[in-house]
Amino acid sequence: MPVTKSLVIVESPAKARTISGYLGDDFVVESSIGHIRDLPRKKSEVPQKLKERFARTDELGVDVQNGFTPYYVVDREKKQHISKLKKLLKEADALYLATDEDREGESIAWHLLEVLQPKVPVKRMVFHEITKKAIEHAIEQPRDIDRRLVDAQEARRILDRLYGYKLSPVLWKKVMPNLSAGRVQSVATRIIVERERARMAFVQAGYWDLEASFSKLDGEGHLTAKLTTLDGKRLATGKDFGDDGKLKRPGVAVLDEAGAKKLAEQLERGEFTVTSVERKPYTRKPAAPFMTSTLQQEASRKLRFPAQRAMRAAQRLYESGYITYMRTDSTTLSDTALSAARRQIQDLYGPDYVPAKARSYANKVKNAQEAHEAIRPAGDDWATPEAVAREVGTDEAKLYELVWKRTVASQMADAKGETLSVKIGGRAEGREVELSVTGRTILFPGFLRAYVEGSDDPDAELENREKHLPPLAENETLKGEHFEPQGHETQPPARFTEASLVRALEELGVGRPSTYASIIATIVKRGYVWKKGSALVPSFTAFAVISLLEKHFPRLVDYAFTAKMEDELDAIAAGEAQVGPWLERFYLGPSGPGAANENGVQMDSGLKEMVSAKLGEIDARAINSLPLGEDEDGREVVVRVGRNGAYLQRDGDNASVPEGVAPDELTLERAIELIEKQSEVRELGTDPETGEKVVARAGPYGPYVQLGEASADRKKKPPTASLFKTMTIQSVTLEEALRLLSLPREVGVDEDGEAVLALNGRFGPYLKKGKETRSLETEEQIFAITLPEAKKVLAEPKRRGRKKAEPIKTLGKDPVSGEAIQVKEGRWGPYVTDGDVNASLRKGDTVEDITTERAAELLQMRRDRGPSKRRRKKKAAKKKAKKKTAKKKAKKKTAKKKAKKKTAKKAGGSKVAARKKET
């Protein structure tokens, strides 16, 4: 009789391998490889008999008329794997569903149950860390699937489908194809667009102050102080100016450059006295342990990891048993974790660093789910970062160190110190001034021995450094040594980084922390946002999309409304609301069934009716236009979003917006300059053969020369030719233009009678003879190469790939491969490579400014996309299939013909026999 075993199903193979090592021979551990089914992506995935119910254009996969019932499709790539799971289940005595302990994990477990239809006992196995003790405990104390969590996740999925499938077509019709709208992604995009609008409206203001150097009269010390008060008035700083460039606080003194320089000269002859010395003790408490959002923020600040990269590294650490579950809103640590932290602090830093009582942290996150612990090292005794670094990859080692330090520091004693504030009074030529300087001394470092929390403001990091001042006493006379005027300019609001966007979404209660990484990745992938260094810059397409949504669907991108939806989903998870009525109110409106439910999100009309009513009102031209102002002649200059991207328009003149130009950088002056440059036309002369004008123009793909004009009906296009790289519109001559227009040049005729041509193509200069082509080294060779030289080049073997590009720049080492990163020039522009992976520079990246961190990020993004899918093979397979089909049809036809002939013969034979019989 065969020995039966229990089947344990988790999401990932890595997680399966780790758990298998803890469970022994009585269990078979297998992964589902993520989600096994989802709503259909296209109508063809819905069976014919169900198409009328589930394959409507607007609500693909959801029956909105019958309780918003979803229809799920098993992923085609997973069908074989499902068969494997079913086979393993037949031989099992029990099924343990060990997916993650959150809404998504609960949903995956439910889908597995629905598809596998097990006939053995089913148990839900949950844990928040993958250690032997945690896994054994989970096996001993299973539970049932929590249908409330499943309902909340399914409601979220259906809601997102209805939102996206109803609004995205509006964007296709009114902005451009292939755009998408999303319940959270559109709100995240709006946050970034609003910040860019503030930057565009910002007016810079200038102000000056003074930095003074002093020495003690006994020569025993020096200090530097800043001017703070002038003639009894506080000196203006950047905070005193509004975004319009004007003072928003009256009664402050403003110094300009001339005033600051004059004051500096006057103070050179002044007298200075210490007017006050104030000492104050300070105490600083450690930050709470990590939850998902704070981990993403700190990984961005300290490690320069984008949110997705941080979450990938965290996922691998969790699945390998090094940290607890990384999708959590909790800052709580278990008693076991508190004991482990306090033991490690005692061992590493000594008893003085262990507080008398373990710390607890209140969670201030809106809509927090306290389902898990904080993110911390796994187990009862924590491995040190040095030990883990020997077992994992570079990214994982860095992230583990961050998690370990933050967790340990959260349970350490406070940092204690003393601040020393000194004010210095001065008088010179009737002017009275006050200067100030602050010193800082750390008396006991406490948790700072382990960890210092990062900040979006680099200056804030300086607060953690000690600054010592010489001994000073009130009324002490100081000698002024040097007075330096310093000019400053107010700065526009800083653009969002991934870290600050995550914090903004969290504070607004929009979305869930576990989804922030994918939200940011989506808006970048869709072209709504691009990165300039670490800053998130909105595209002009994003401006058009957000303008449309704000004007015609304001509730759907309203922050409070979106956060309210999160509250409702939490209510469903808590069993306080039902999915069907809630979705009906959102999609069909408050007049639909279930509108009386008191927990409903109130809307004037449902999404379906709202889109139908608004579609005709939307003026696509107005939505896709961003006015910049008028030129000196009163002509309006506008940025328009077209099907091929953003372009500038002034009367009949158009000009494309260069890649890498941020919206706040496209001022009216810059726009006029681009229009005039791209509409630049220089008449070179007349072609002596045709008598037509030859002009040099700027085009979207570079400068070129043109012979004559297009015909009135535009059927005849004038001959054109691109300028060589060594030429410009201003320098090209008529003779050079005519030579370019004469291409291709016939170099000569080979012995076999075939002509050899020299051309300038998309990828540079080359030779052509029949179907054979070879690249030339320089553009000048097109006109200089002789037939013997050309024959020699054509005789060379054809190169597979291009000549190895020489590095333009060498950066630091890639954290994944450990190889040096190089910047090279390629066929499609500059790219970075570690020798194995190549990644093109994105919009906003430049060869001059790219850093090792940004290059490593680009390489990781390229790795994540996986190998390129070649279409040729598909085409070849289709051709092969067509040939097979054609052969089958031909065989069938032949078989039919033979059958007909056989029948005819039989019929003919019987007639002959009959006739013979008659005779």
Side-chain angles (χ1 to χ4, degrees):
M1 189 172 174
V3 178
T4 57
K5 298 182 179 183
S6 296
L7 175 62
V8 179
I9 301 179
V10 297
E11 300 99 317
S12 75
K15 190 175 175 183
R17 285 192 296 271
T18 309
I19 291 174
S20 182
Y22 294 136
L23 288 179
D25 296 335
D26 293 336
F27 296 86
V28 174
V29 185
E30 186 56 71
S31 83
S32 65
I33 319 178
H35 289 271
I36 59 166
R37 64 177 189 170
D38 195 6
L39 296 171
R41 286 169 289 186
K42 48 190 176 182
K43 290 183 182 181
S44 59
E45 293 180 348
V46 181
Q48 190 62 42
K49 61 182 180 180
L50 297 174
K51 279 192 185 294
E52 188 178 339
R53 184 180 177 192
F54 289 108
R56 299 184 187 91
T57 304
D58 294 337
E59 307 102 359
L60 182 58
V62 182
D63 183 358
V64 299
Q65 303 300 327
N66 294 287
F68 287 78
T69 307
Y71 176 74
Y72 291 106
V73 179
V74 174
D75 193 320
R76 194 191 315 173
E77 296 173 0
K78 297 284 179 72
K79 286 184 178 179
Q80 191 176 347
H81 192 67
I82 294 295
S83 300
K84 179 185 175 182
L85 292 176
K86 285 182 175 179
K87 187 178 177 183
L88 290 171
L89 189 56
K90 282 181 182 178
E91 301 166 0
D93 59 0
L95 172 63
Y96 286 86
L97 297 171
T99 51
D100 292 337
E101 191 188 2
D102 59 9
R103 293 174 186 173
E104 192 171 3
E106 207 75 15
S107 178
I108 293 172
W110 176 74
H111 281 289
L112 282 166
L113 193 63
E114 292 285 300
V115 171
L116 298 178
Q117 295 290 308
K119 294 181 172 57
V120 294
V122 178
K123 301 172 184 180
R124 179 76 170 100
M125 175 181 165
V126 292
F127 44 85
H128 65 273
E129 63 180 354
I130 304 177
T131 59
K132 185 175 178 62
K133 183 178 177 182
I135 298 304
E136 288 174 349
H137 182 267
I139 285 284
E140 290 167 5
Q141 295 193 358
R143 64 168 172 80
D144 294 329
I145 287 178
D146 189 335
R147 276 312 305 260
R148 297 177 305 172
L149 292 179
V150 173
D151 287 347
Q153 182 62 26
E154 298 311 291
R156 185 184 296 274
R157 183 68 190 94
I158 295 167
L159 173 68
D160 289 342
R161 169 57 61 95
L162 297 173
Y163 191 113
Y165 272 56
K166 202 67 187 171
L167 278 180
S168 296
V170 177
L171 304 183
W172 305 341
K173 291 172 185 175
K174 301 297 182 179
V175 183
M176 67 170 68
N178 301 321
L179 297 178
S180 70
R183 179 176 57 89
V184 180
Q185 80 173 48
S186 296
V187 171
T189 305
R190 184 189 175 199
I191 292 171
I192 296 169
V193 167
E194 284 192 332
R195 179 60 57 88
E196 195 71 9
R197 285 172 180 162
R199 289 175 64 87
M200 292 167 78
F202 178 79
V203 178
Q204 201 165 58
Y207 61 96
W208 286 69
D209 60 17
L210 275 172
E211 186 175 84
S213 299
F214 296 98
S215 63
K216 294 184 57 137
L217 295 182
D218 59 9
E220 293 297 316
H222 293 79
L223 68 153
T224 302
K226 282 271 190 183
L227 179 67
T228 55
T229 304
L230 178 61
D231 296 329
K233 289 185 178 180
R234 183 174 61 80
L235 195 67
T237 64
K239 294 178 181 178
D240 296 308
F241 293 89
D243 289 344
D244 57 0
K246 297 177 181 177
L247 272 176
K248 60 183 180 182
R249 296 177 185 173
V252 294
V254 181
L255 269 179
D256 58 14
E257 183 177 5
K261 287 181 176 179
K262 184 179 179 182
L263 181 62
E265 290 175 7
Q266 291 172 327
L267 293 179
E268 293 282 355
R269 299 180 289 277
E271 297 176 352
F272 301 94
T273 307
V274 176
T275 56
S276 73
V277 178
E278 189 177 359
R279 297 179 185 274
K280 281 186 180 179
Y282 74 85
T283 300
R284 185 173 171 187
K285 297 182 181 297
F290 282 134
M291 53 185 176
T292 304
S293 58
T294 52
L295 175 67
Q296 290 173 7
Q297 290 171 51
E298 279 295 89
S300 175
R301 294 172 189 143
K302 286 185 174 291
L303 307 179
R304 297 291 182 262
F305 284 4
Q308 274 204 316
R309 185 175 169 189
M311 292 308 289
R312 276 193 303 268
Q315 180 87 34
R316 290 191 286 265
L317 286 170
Y318 166 66
E319 290 174 349
S320 302
Y322 289 110
I323 64 171
T324 53
Y325 191 54
M326 67 288 160
R327 292 189 179 93
T328 174
D329 295 338
S330 175
T331 52
T332 302
L333 293 176
S334 64
D335 291 341
T336 303
L338 292 172
S339 299
R342 291 169 72 82
R343 276 198 307 275
Q344 207 148 38
I345 295 164
Q346 170 89 23
D347 294 343
L348 293 173
Y349 303 108
D352 291 343
Y353 288 84
V354 184
K357 185 181 176 185
R359 295 181 185 275
S360 61
Y361 294 88
N363 199 326
K364 297 177 182 178
V365 178
K366 194 176 179 183
N367 300 326
Q369 300 174 67
E370 302 286 351
H372 314 287
E373 277 192 80
I375 303 168
R376 62 166 176 83
D380 295 345
D381 292 293
W382 300 342
T384 61
E386 294 76 23
V388 172
R390 294 193 289 269
E391 306 292 331
V392 300
T394 307
D395 279 10
E396 290 77 30
K398 288 180 178 178
L399 197 73
Y400 180 82
E401 183 179 24
L402 195 65
V403 171
W404 182 89
K405 284 182 174 179
R406 175 83 165 221
T407 313
V408 168
S410 73
Q411 292 304 314
M412 290 177 72
D414 296 340
K416 294 182 179 180
E418 183 181 71
T419 59
L420 177 65
S421 298
V422 178
K423 291 184 178 179
I424 302 164
R427 182 187 294 273
E429 299 181 16
R431 308 299 299 271
E432 289 189 3
V433 296
E434 186 175 79
L435 304 98
S436 63
V437 59
T438 301
R440 177 186 288 264
T441 305
I442 296 174
L443 301 176
F444 177 68
F447 71 92
L448 295 176
R449 283 282 307 277
Y451 181 84
V452 180
E453 188 177 20
S455 171
D456 284 330
D457 179 9
D459 292 334
E461 288 287 354
L462 298 174
E463 292 180 7
N464 301 310
R465 299 181 186 176
E466 287 191 295
K467 183 179 178 182
H468 296 286
L469 298 179
L472 295 165
E474 285 189 21
N475 301 319
E476 183 178 348
T477 301
L478 297 176
K479 180 184 177 183
E481 293 189 333
H482 180 66
F483 298 88
E484 183 182 350
Q486 293 182 334
H488 307 278
E489 289 180 331
T490 55
Q491 298 300 313
R495 286 194 180 99
F496 283 99
T497 61
E498 288 201 12
S500 56
L501 180 61
V502 164
R503 190 172 69 244
L505 290 168
E506 183 182 63
E507 287 171 354
L508 290 167
V510 171
R512 301 256 37 94
S514 59
T515 64
Y516 292 157
S518 61
I519 289 164
I520 294 169
T522 299
I523 61 179
V524 171
K525 184 180 177 182
R526 294 289 182 187
Y528 293 143
V529 171
W530 52 278
K531 282 190 172 183
K532 190 172 186 179
S534 62
L536 298 173
V537 184
S539 64
F540 286 104
T541 303
F543 271 73
V545 167
I546 296 304
S547 294
L548 186 154
L549 295 175
E550 285 176 333
K551 187 172 181 181
H552 298 282
F553 306 99
R555 295 296 297 278
L556 298 180
V557 286
D558 180 74
Y559 304 141
F561 179 72
T562 308
K564 177 68 174 173
M565 283 197 279
E566 292 294 345
D567 292 337
E568 292 299 319
L569 289 165
D570 288 341
I572 291 169
E576 298 167 2
Q578 294 182 326
V579 177
W582 184 75
L583 287 170
E584 284 175 5
R585 283 191 304 278
F586 174 76
Y587 192 65
L588 301 176
S591 58
N597 189 299
E598 67 277 4
N599 290 323
V601 177
Q602 295 303 310
M603 297 173 68
D604 296 333
S605 60
L607 177 64
K608 186 173 183 178
E609 182 188 335
M610 191 190 306
V611 171
S612 302
K614 294 283 186 182
L615 192 58
E617 298 176 10
I618 300 172
D619 182 345
R621 186 174 177 81
I623 286 296
N624 290 293
S625 300
L626 181 66
L628 297 178
E630 293 182 350
D631 67 5
E632 292 177 353
D633 299 324
R635 293 174 295 180
E636 188 178 38
V637 179
V638 182
V639 182
R640 298 199 192 281
V641 176
R643 303 232 155 193
N644 298 315
Y647 65 97
L648 292 160
Q649 191 171 67
R650 181 185 66 179
D651 286 351
D653 295 331
N654 292 348
S656 57
V657 176
E659 281 204 2
V661 175
D664 77 323
E665 295 168 0
L666 193 59
T667 60
L668 177 62
E669 294 74 20
R670 178 87 186 273
I672 292 170
E673 181 187 330
L674 287 169
I675 290 171
E676 290 177 350
K677 186 178 179 183
Q678 291 189 33
S679 60
E680 183 181 1
V681 179
R682 179 173 163 240
E683 191 172 323
L684 304 178
T686 305
D687 176 20
E689 288 186 18
T690 63
E692 292 193 275
K693 280 193 304 185
V694 179
V695 296
R697 293 179 182 275
Y701 306 108
Y704 66 97
V705 289
Q706 178 179 308
L707 176 63
E709 297 293 335
S711 59
D713 58 4
R714 292 186 175 268
K715 286 184 179 177
K716 181 199 163 194
K717 289 186 177 180
T720 59
S722 296
L723 297 189
F724 284 175
K725 290 178 182 176
T726 53
M727 301 173 181
T728 65
I729 293 175
Q730 291 75 27
S731 68
V732 68
T733 64
L734 175 62
E735 183 184 357
E736 288 172 331
L738 291 172
R739 288 179 79 198
L740 292 172
L741 290 163
S742 70
L743 295 176
R745 170 188 167 235
E746 186 176 305
V747 179
V749 179
D750 204 352
E751 286 86 351
D752 58 7
E754 200 153 15
V756 178
L757 304 175
L759 307 90
N760 194 21
R762 184 179 180 184
F763 305 122
Y766 68 102
L767 292 171
K768 183 178 182 183
K769 179 192 166 188
K771 291 185 178 179
E772 285 292 312
T773 59
R774 296 291 185 277
S775 295
L776 292 172
E777 295 293 329
T778 64
E779 291 171 321
E780 285 70 24
Q781 282 182 286
I782 295 173
F783 295 112
I785 196 165
T786 62
L787 182 60
E789 290 170 339
K791 286 164 70 175
K792 190 177 177 182
V793 172
L794 288 164
E796 292 175 1
K798 196 162 189 175
R799 290 176 188 158
R800 294 289 173 190
R802 291 168 289 118
K803 189 170 74 174
K804 193 174 181 182
E806 292 299 317
I808 304 169
K809 187 177 182 181
T810 301
L811 304 171
K813 289 187 177 181
D814 178 63
V816 176
S817 66
E819 299 296 326
I821 301 173
Q822 294 182 327
V823 185
K824 295 186 176 183
E825 184 67 42
R827 177 181 289 183
W828 310 109
Y831 66 97
V832 291
T833 179
D834 66 346
D836 181 36
V837 178
N838 299 341
S840 298
L841 267 60
R842 299 290 186 89
K843 188 198 285 190
D845 295 324
T846 62
V847 173
E848 295 76 20
D849 298 334
I850 193 160
T851 61
T852 302
E853 291 78 12
R854 175 60 176 158
E857 181 185 343
L858 292 171
L859 290 171
Q860 187 59 45
M861 287 161 67
R862 183 65 191 85
R863 289 186 193 101
D864 294 339
R865 287 209 311 270
S868 300
K869 293 180 181 177
R870 303 203 172 198
R871 294 183 183 177
R872 287 179 188 174
K873 290 184 180 178
K874 281 189 177 180
K875 285 180 181 177
K878 282 181 181 176
K879 282 182 182 177
K880 210 171 183 182
K882 281 181 181 177
K883 281 182 182 178
K884 278 187 179 179
T885 309
K887 281 182 183 177
K888 282 182 182 178
K889 285 181 179 177
K891 280 182 182 178
K892 281 182 182 178
K893 280 184 180 178
T894 309
K896 281 181 182 177
K897 283 180 181 177
K898 284 181 179 178
K900 279 182 181 178
K901 283 180 182 178
K902 219 172 186 181
T903 309
K905 275 184 182 178
K906 280 181 182 179
S910 60
K911 284 177 183 176
V912 172
R915 280 200 296 272
K916 281 183 180 178
K917 203 171 185 182
E918 284 173 6
T919 55

